[in-house]
Amino acid sequence: MANTQTALKEAMTSIEGSLGAALVDYSSGMALGTVGGGKDLDLTVAAAGNTDVVRAKVRTMEQLGLQDGIEDILITLGSQYHLIRLLRGRDSQGLFLYLALDKKRANLAMARHQLRKIEADLEV
């Protein structure tokens, strides 16, 4: 089992094209841990903004009466992918992993696969 910082560092090193990663509490919008980012990618701002995305999708699913869970949410920009993966474990309700990727260097399918693996090993 990996702790938050170990899991985020693994995302940065094992996922090709990673620009930044965060573990976020979407009830508060707070980043519980961050790795990477920089002047062009403020992970605390991204955590708060993507919290709104997650809340909106959860609310929409409730209004539609969908009884399914969100695996991940993909936002595609001109030069980046932003991947949001909601955690499913009993102790991780209300949390998501956020990963920003360089579109030219990243393999989206492999990134999703690796992020799923990191989630499975994460102990919150």
Side-chain angles (χ1 to χ4, degrees):
M1 291 290 176
N3 68 23
T4 299
Q5 281 307 113
T6 302
L8 295 175
K9 286 177 185 174
E10 183 179 346
M12 289 297 293
T13 58
S14 68
I15 300 175
E16 183 74 26
S18 294
L19 301 171
L23 178 66
V24 183
D25 175 352
Y26 69 81
S27 60
S28 68
M30 297 293 295
L32 304 177
T34 63
V35 174
K39 67 178 182 78
D40 294 330
L41 179 61
D42 184 331
L43 291 171
T44 57
V45 172
N50 285 304
T51 293
D52 292 337
V53 172
V54 171
R55 287 178 185 161
K57 188 58 187 172
V58 168
R59 188 174 50 252
T60 300
M61 288 180 64
E62 288 171 357
Q63 291 171 345
L64 292 171
L66 297 176
Q67 300 299 313
D68 209 348
I70 300 169
E71 285 185 20
D72 53 39
I73 299 168
L74 172 65
I75 300 168
T76 305
L77 305 177
S79 63
Q80 297 176 357
Y81 294 123
H82 290 224
L83 191 56
I84 300 167
R85 179 156 187 88
L86 277 69
L87 304 187
R88 295 180 178 246
R90 183 183 71 220
D91 296 332
S92 56
Q93 289 293 338
L95 301 178
F96 67 87
L97 285 168
Y98 167 73
L99 180 66
L101 300 160
D102 180 331
K103 200 172 182 181
K104 290 180 182 174
R105 297 185 305 128
N107 177 322
L108 185 56
M110 287 302 296
R112 290 183 69 220
H113 173 75
Q114 195 66 22
L115 202 55
R116 189 171 27 250
K117 186 176 164 190
I118 290 167
E119 173 197 2
D121 292 339
L122 179 62
E123 185 175 294
V124 181

